[in-house]
Amino acid sequence: MSSPPATPTPENRTRREEIADAVRDAGRRRIALYVVLFGLVGFYLAPLEAGLMTAFKTTDAFNRTVPFVPPIFGGFTLEPWRVAFNEMSHALINSMLLAVPATILSAGLGSIAAYGLTTIDWKYQMPIVALFVAGIFIPYQAVLVPLSRLFAIVNTQELLSFLWGLPLMHEHYASIINLIITHVAYGIPITFLLFRGYYQNLSVEMIEAAKLDGASVFSIYRNIVLPLSTSMFAVTLIYQFTQIWNDLLFALVILPSGGGAAAPVTVALNSLTGGIIQSFNTQMAGAFVAALPTLLVYVLFGEQFAEGVAGS
Amino acid sequence: MQRLRDVLRRVTPGDSGDGGAPDVPTGGAEPTADSGDSSELRSDGGERTDSPRTSSELRSDGGATVTGERTDSETGTLRSLTSSDFVQSIPFWLPPFLLMAFFVYGAIGWNLVISLTDFSGLILPEYAISEFDLEMYRQAFSDPTFWTAARNTLVLLVVFTTVCLLFGMLLAILIDQGIRFENTFRTIYLLPMSLSFVVTAKFWAWMYNPQIGMINVTLRQFGLGFLTTQWISNPSTKLAAVIFALIWQYSGYAMVVYLAGLRAIPTAHYEAARVDGASTIKMYWRVILPQLRASTMSAAVVLMVFALKAFDFLYVMFGNHPGPAADILATMMFREAFGSNNWAYGSAIAIVLFGMALAVVTPYLYSEYRRGEL
């Protein structure tokens, strides 16, 4: 196919035949390519499809049918979804209360830190940048024992005792506040890196011009850098929201054993068994309930998520 | 830490070494324009005997011309310390830095201290230097469970990262063939990464179910019933089953990184290879793949970090006791510290794990810094 067309082949084929051959060959390769691509779609979606189908089946049905076949021959039920949603609705609220503020705070702090160390250029900032970036890569196991000690010593519930008498406030929010602080602190390195990469490409002339006009660093950030970072904020918020929503480890360590009233959705899903026997239909429904917000974010903003992922 | 030292070593002597040289001509040349005794000043600068008068004059000079903001001489340092840039930047980066540093580096230091104590059970740790010893590390290194977990961690790291990279590269090349619905394919391949380990572990526990799980059912359907096994309880397939599921979840990440790398290669390189009559495979092997080294490196490091964080997945699938076939240091640490309340022992294992991460990440960050991409 890639041989130069000018050289005559031993069979003395005409040019036209050669081209026809090449086209047929290319067409065949094209078909093979799409077969492989669709096969891979099957590979990536199979666990989700099997899970979704199982979530709509009765216990009897998923025990005797093939996992990925839809429950069209009887055995269709919404009961697993009802059970899963009932048991996890409280945890969904907790996860929202945790993920939304933690996401916004970590993105905001990452942005101002990156501004202070990238756009404002001063000497000896590299060691600090390095400390920020290295924070992305630490295995969280190395901080778990101190974290549990810290929140045993610092009793947020007592410190904020004046809050719990207020309407709409509950004592278990103290644990959620602990989790928010933790997620913000460990989220800063990655949000810092994302914003730093973005701010490095901002036009230097523009900043210099604003400086010459006598703008203070605060007003440069407020009036120039911040409005320009909206797209990067979208990327960072989406990425951080998924990370914080999906976390299990910090919740296991910081919350009282079993999660208590403050259990986020990952903890609730982990302890969701749906009865004495392992009922996979309830578990699969629960998995989808827990994954729904991140799946939704991903389907709507897949591009931004991919950008955040590639930046990390 | 080593990286930090390198940064400091590079910054400090480098500045006094070459920072002085370019400064002398500028410092000497500027006054020539306006002051009469230029010769005296220039020779003065050349000998580098900075009298107070000269330095003050240089400073005022730099202030007047504005462009001299980043003169790297002694006077420059003095000026940049007091100048607005550094001081004004503090409110921006210092609060986030302190919060992050306390939770990351403070906690790691604290963890290190705890690992030197005998903290276990409900008795609080004693932070007395005279009581510190390496007993916990000795205990770990003589514990066969520790070595099994360390070996599994290493296998997980190497196999998971390698297969993910190869698979992700293949995906990226397939996606890069100018296909239709490219975005849809890419979105689907990356989709599992947006899911929590808790969710994917639930999915795969169901997939691997020995009686009615999808894998075994499909194998039986194709007459491959002899291949069926209890994937996640059979010790010989346990770790492989976990790694396979993790590859399913994260190969999309490698694809995204490689795709960005492929798109950065100029089209001319493909065309040149085509004109030279290289076959597709040869073109990728000889021309394209060597240019993806940077992508490979960054993807490999991030994948290894993901692998070190695979704790959630194992915890949901097996609880605190994955058994020797799938026990990794992360699960062992959690079991010892939060399951058995052997806090100091767990901390020591965590420090070993931290050392492993450091060994992976430090060379990477250093090379990024050398290429000016940090």
Side-chain angles (χ1 to χ4, degrees):
Chain A
M1 182 193 127
S2 52
S3 61
T7 42
T9 49
E11 292 97 345
N12 274 334
R13 293 190 299 170
T14 62
R15 239 187 105 84
R16 180 190 290 252
E17 273 172 344
E18 260 180 48
I19 292 170
D21 252 16
V23 167
R24 210 177 307 131
D25 198 30
R28 230 177 280 137
R29 289 177 55 145
R30 216 68 195 153
I31 290 167
L33 176 66
Y34 280 103
V35 167
V36 173
L37 286 170
F38 276 107
L40 286 165
V41 168
F43 169 66
Y44 282 107
L45 292 186
L48 280 86
E49 202 268 351
L52 194 62
M53 291 308 130
T54 307
F56 284 110
K57 289 177 186 171
T58 57
T59 310
D60 174 54
F62 80 72
N63 269 323
R64 69 184 158 72
T65 59
V66 180
F68 51 86
V69 174
I72 36 173
F73 307 113
F76 174 85
T77 175
L78 289 173
E79 183 64 12
W81 293 89
R82 202 190 56 77
V83 173
F85 197 77
N86 263 354
E87 289 197 19
M88 293 168 70
S89 56
H90 191 65
L92 280 171
I93 296 171
N94 284 340
S95 273
M96 272 296 167
L97 287 177
L98 154 72
V100 171
T103 304
I104 294 170
L105 278 174
S106 63
L109 289 175
S111 165
I112 60 169
Y115 172 71
L117 289 171
T118 309
T119 315
I120 308 178
D121 211 10
W122 47 278
K123 274 175 75 180
Y124 308 125
Q125 54 181 316
M126 276 325 272
I128 295 171
V129 170
L131 283 175
F132 266 110
V133 176
I136 298 169
F137 300 102
I138 63 145
Y140 290 144
Q141 260 69 21
V143 298
L144 291 185
V145 176
L147 264 187
S148 70
R149 291 295 309 139
L150 175 75
F151 287 117
I153 295 168
V154 182
N155 190 338
T156 325
Q157 193 169 333
E158 249 173 57
L159 285 175
L160 299 174
S161 52
F162 61 92
L163 275 177
W164 314 132
L166 299 175
L168 293 176
M169 290 304 264
H170 301 284
E171 291 206 356
H172 69 258
Y173 287 175
S175 310
I176 295 184
I177 291 173
N178 289 347
L179 262 183
I180 291 175
I181 297 170
T182 312
H183 276 296
V184 170
Y186 292 106
I188 288 174
I190 180 67
T191 58
F192 170 83
L193 185 73
L194 289 172
F195 278 110
R196 179 171 163 83
Y198 187 71
Y199 291 160
Q200 274 172 333
N201 296 325
L202 280 186
S203 133
V204 184
E205 289 85 10
M206 193 170 48
I207 308 289
E208 285 296 320
K211 232 183 246 172
L212 284 182
D213 286 348
S216 72
V217 283
F218 286 97
S219 83
I220 291 178
Y221 179 73
R222 175 72 194 77
N223 297 317
I224 300 177
V225 175
L226 195 59
L228 283 174
S229 348
T230 6
S231 63
M232 203 59 220
F233 261 103
V235 171
T236 312
L237 289 173
I238 286 160
Y239 183 73
Q240 271 300 96
F241 179 79
T242 344
Q243 293 300 104
I244 295 170
W245 183 276
N246 287 344
D247 168 76
L248 171 72
L249 185 58
F250 285 144
L252 283 181
V253 170
I254 290 171
L255 298 184
S257 172
V265 80
T266 43
V267 173
L269 174 61
N270 186 35
S271 49
L272 179 77
T273 49
I276 303 150
I277 44 155
Q278 269 216 328
S279 46
F280 283 106
N281 51 359
T282 313
Q283 289 196 15
M284 291 301 116
F288 275 101
V289 168
L292 207 60
T294 50
L295 275 180
L296 210 64
V297 162
Y298 180 71
V299 170
L300 293 177
F301 310 103
E303 208 61 27
Q304 281 90 337
F305 178 81
E307 229 175 284
V309 157
S312 63
Chain B
M1 281 306 112
Q2 197 213 320
R3 186 188 136 57
L4 177 63
R5 224 180 308 127
D6 281 329
V7 171
L8 288 174
R9 200 189 57 221
R10 271 177 59 82
V11 169
T12 332
D15 274 330
S16 55
D18 54 30
D23 183 50
V24 174
T26 41
E30 288 291 344
T32 343
D34 47 12
S35 70
D37 50 0
S38 60
S39 63
E40 189 220 318
L41 261 177
R42 199 184 305 150
S43 72
D44 193 28
E47 284 165 24
R48 303 189 46 150
T49 51
D50 277 2
S51 69
R53 192 182 60 88
T54 336
S55 80
S56 78
E57 206 166 291
L58 278 173
R59 198 190 308 162
S60 70
D61 179 49
T65 47
V66 181
T67 47
E69 244 179 45
R70 294 190 55 77
T71 46
D72 288 330
S73 69
E74 214 175 314
T75 51
T77 316
L78 194 71
R79 210 158 44 78
S80 85
L81 271 178
T82 52
S83 92
S84 46
D85 269 358
F86 170 71
V87 175
Q88 289 190 359
S89 76
I90 286 180
F92 289 97
W93 61 263
L94 194 63
F97 179 75
L98 288 180
L99 179 66
M100 185 278 297
F102 173 73
F103 271 89
V104 174
Y105 299 103
I108 290 173
W110 193 355
N111 189 85
L112 183 66
V113 170
I114 289 177
S115 76
L116 301 174
T117 66
D118 308 322
F119 180 25
S120 72
L122 296 172
I123 303 148
L124 295 182
E126 259 181 73
Y127 301 115
I129 294 174
S130 55
E131 297 284 304
F132 287 171
D133 52 28
L134 296 173
E135 176 55 34
M136 290 303 151
Y137 295 92
R138 205 174 306 130
Q139 190 183 327
F141 292 145
S142 57
D143 185 350
T145 317
F146 170 83
W147 289 109
T148 319
R151 203 199 58 218
N152 286 340
T153 309
L154 219 61
V155 170
L156 177 72
L157 271 182
V158 172
V159 176
F160 165 75
T161 311
T162 318
V163 179
C164 252
L165 287 176
L166 290 174
F167 198 53
M169 186 185 283
L170 185 75
L171 288 176
I173 290 175
L174 289 177
I175 292 268
D176 199 34
Q177 299 301 311
I179 55 165
R180 299 176 70 184
F181 312 117
E182 182 195 310
N183 278 343
T184 316
F185 281 116
R186 214 180 43 197
T187 307
I188 291 173
Y189 296 167
L190 192 62
L191 177 84
M193 209 188 143
S194 74
L195 299 174
S196 166
F197 271 132
V198 187
V199 172
T200 56
K202 289 277 176 195
F203 281 152
W204 282 95
W206 172 223
M207 293 286 283
Y208 284 135
N209 184 288
Q211 283 87 41
I212 47 173
M214 181 141 159
I215 302 230
N216 278 356
V217 167
T218 314
L219 284 173
R220 277 189 219 112
Q221 218 99 10
F222 284 102
L224 296 167
F226 59 93
L227 282 179
T228 58
T229 175
Q230 307 207 341
W231 297 102
I232 48 174
S233 12
N234 183 347
S236 57
T237 55
K238 209 181 217 179
L239 190 59
V242 169
I243 293 176
F244 186 80
L246 291 178
I247 289 167
W248 170 81
Q249 190 166 1
Y250 282 113
S251 45
Y253 171 76
M255 172 198 74
V256 167
V257 175
Y258 275 126
L259 207 53
L262 283 174
R263 297 278 151 91
I265 297 172
T267 331
H269 291 204
Y270 291 88
E271 279 160 7
R274 281 268 181 244
V275 169
D276 287 349
S279 70
T280 309
I281 292 172
K282 217 176 215 168
M283 175 181 81
Y284 274 104
W285 188 250
R286 293 267 173 80
V287 183
I288 306 302
L289 295 192
Q291 301 192 49
L292 292 175
R293 189 169 296 158
S295 306
T296 306
M297 207 161 147
S298 76
V301 169
V302 175
L303 285 172
M304 283 188 202
V305 174
F306 284 145
L308 288 174
K309 288 179 182 172
F311 165 85
D312 287 12
F313 188 88
L314 286 159
Y315 182 80
V316 173
M317 216 169 226
F318 305 110
N320 248 346
H321 296 277
D327 201 14
I328 60 172
L329 286 176
T331 50
M332 186 189 176
M333 180 271 158
F334 190 85
R335 181 175 62 243
E336 288 296 345
F338 295 91
S340 319
N341 290 345
N342 294 326
W343 305 104
Y345 191 42
S347 301
I349 298 166
I351 289 294
V352 174
L353 195 60
F354 176 67
M356 283 174 91
L358 216 57
V360 170
V361 168
T362 314
Y364 168 70
L365 282 183
Y366 186 62
S367 79
E368 286 284 285
Y369 171 71
R370 292 300 291 266
R371 293 191 302 143
E373 289 190 5
L374 202 65

